[in-house]
Amino acid sequence: MTHGVDLTAYNTMGFAVRAHDYVGISDWSAFLDWWRAPAQVRLHAQPRFILGGGSNLVLTQDIAALILHVQTRGIHEVRRDTKYVWCEVAAGESWHDWVMHTVAQGWAGIENLALIPGTVGACPVQNIGAYGMEAGQAIEYVSVLDFASGEMVRLSAEDCRFAYRDSLFKQAQYAGQARYLIASVCFKLQHDLSDWQASLGYGDVAQRVAELASGREVRPADVAQAVIAIRQSKLPDPKVLGNAGSFFKNPVVTQAQADELKARYEKLPCYPMSNGMVKLAAGWLIEQAGWKGKNSASGHVGVYEKQALVLVHHGGGTGAELMQLAHQIAEDVFKQFGVRIEPEPIVL
Ligand code: EPU
């Protein structure tokens, strides 16, 4: 355990805060031995926070909780049949590198999720999703340390209760804290592509893929390349401009509320969901409320000029400033549309 660790490089917003107590986990079994040793029992009841790639996080002050930073690596094929391959991937692996590894092998199942920042261990937590695909659809099981029992447990995809930007990992608590620490994720991917169909229903993915494949058979790598190009054109690179991806979740409203809004705003993007509710595009609402490309009074934080759903840190700002800006935006959206938008990242 180290003390007073600077977390600037560990959060993609790039806010300068410190962790009082920090444990980097690069060897899982060594970590388990350490955690279970009698000397650490006092830590079990202490507040803790699990850090992955830090890409869905707003740090507003120095962190008193014990930071567990998962940095384990490793990709292992565990099974293969005539159509599918199952791979266990350590939680600390980079999500994007893992996606690129799968498409390089010619495997299908997560290619639409290229270039999402963060780690493999973080992907089940908010069930990352983009361009018509969600990580949960390709997950077979997740191996976790259950803080309630101190034992390693394997949770099936069904146990994980995946939904839009949601899962068991967001919900399950033990003694007021996250109950599970994700060690690895097992994915089921398709290697025999004879009956594979690319998932091209979202936005301009189909057109980009057609351009890339130019007449030959479409491959998962084409879809990944198309998604990378689209994301690069709309979303800021966290290495260049601090951000946490979509800052707000797309709000879900009743059909009646959607109809009412649609009558007032003809162009309102609406996505009907399988449960009869309707998802609205928060980026559109924020843009209409006049916030796209605007900065806070200090100029430290602002709304990205190409995608209003993304809040950015220009430098010298704090998480508190960002949250104040987010609050103003949400208030303005509520005043104009009567719809509440909520932050997606975790705020500490
Ligand atoms: N729109 C605007 N103005 C904006 C932004 C969007 O009018 O500033 C409109 C677009 O024209 C479009 C609609 O809103 O009609 C939806 O926009 P887009 O396709 O860019 O997707 P999104 O709903 O803004 C969601 C995810 C993204 C994901 C994309 C693609 C959430 C909260 N966000 O964004 O996820 O990449 O779809 O699937 O669901 C992330 O979570 O960090 C993330 C980037």
Side-chain angles (χ1 to χ4, degrees), residues 41-52:
V41 168
R42 66 187 172 83
L43 288 180
H44 294 190
Q46 221 173 277
R48 57 180 172 263
F49 180 75
I50 301 161
L51 180 64

Side-chain angles (χ1 to χ4, degrees), residues 7-214:
L7 297 179
T8 311
Y10 297 150
N11 74 101
T12 61
M13 273 287 177
F15 292 130
V17 309
R18 288 183 168 274
H20 294 300
D21 301 318
Y22 170 97
V23 175
I25 305 171
S26 50
D27 177 333
W28 188 262
S29 52
F31 163 72
L32 279 187
D33 290 345
W34 175 82
W35 180 256
R36 289 166 175 165
Q40 264 55 256
V41 168
R42 66 187 172 83
L43 288 180
H44 294 190
Q46 221 173 277
R48 57 180 172 263
F49 180 75
I50 301 161
L51 180 64
S55 60
N56 201 42
L57 188 61
V58 181
L59 300 175
T60 61
Q61 55 190 343
D62 287 351
I63 311 297
L66 168 67
I67 300 266
L68 300 176
H69 187 190
V70 184
Q71 296 163 300
T72 50
R73 309 298 297 267
I75 296 172
H76 302 286
E77 184 174 324
V78 289
R79 203 178 132 205
R80 187 183 276 255
D81 66 13
T82 52
K83 187 168 174 183
Y84 296 104
V85 55
W86 285 259
C87 272
E88 267 179 17
V89 185
E93 287 282 347
S94 140
W95 172 261
H96 175 67
D97 292 351
W98 161 237
V99 173
M100 294 319 280
H101 175 80
T102 66
V103 300
Q105 309 295 312
W107 300 343
I110 53 175
E111 61 281 1
N112 294 45
L113 304 178
L115 212 62
I116 295 182
T119 56
V120 166
C123 91
V125 179
Q126 60 154 335
N127 184 22
I128 56 174
Y131 304 104
M133 197 175 265
E134 286 184 351
Q137 296 163 339
I139 291 175
E140 182 81 8
Y141 58 81
V142 180
S143 299
V144 300
L145 168 65
D146 182 352
F147 285 117
S149 63
E151 296 301 322
M152 290 296 296
V153 181
R154 188 178 274 190
L155 300 169
S156 69
E158 200 187 322
D159 294 334
C160 293
R161 292 194 231 135
F162 293 121
Y164 170 63
R165 294 292 193 274
D166 198 21
S167 75
L168 170 76
F169 305 107
K170 273 196 161 177
Q171 303 149 11
Q173 301 270 307
Y174 170 68
Q177 310 207 52
R179 176 164 170 179
Y180 302 109
L181 179 61
I182 295 171
S184 66
V185 181
C186 181
F187 296 87
K188 178 185 176 185
L189 301 161
Q190 194 171 336
H191 67 78
D192 175 357
L193 301 183
S194 41
D195 72 346
W196 174 70
Q197 291 229 305
S199 175
L200 303 175
Y202 193 100
D204 44 4
V205 180
Q207 195 198 323
R208 295 254 185 173
V209 166
E211 282 161 20
L212 284 164
S214 69

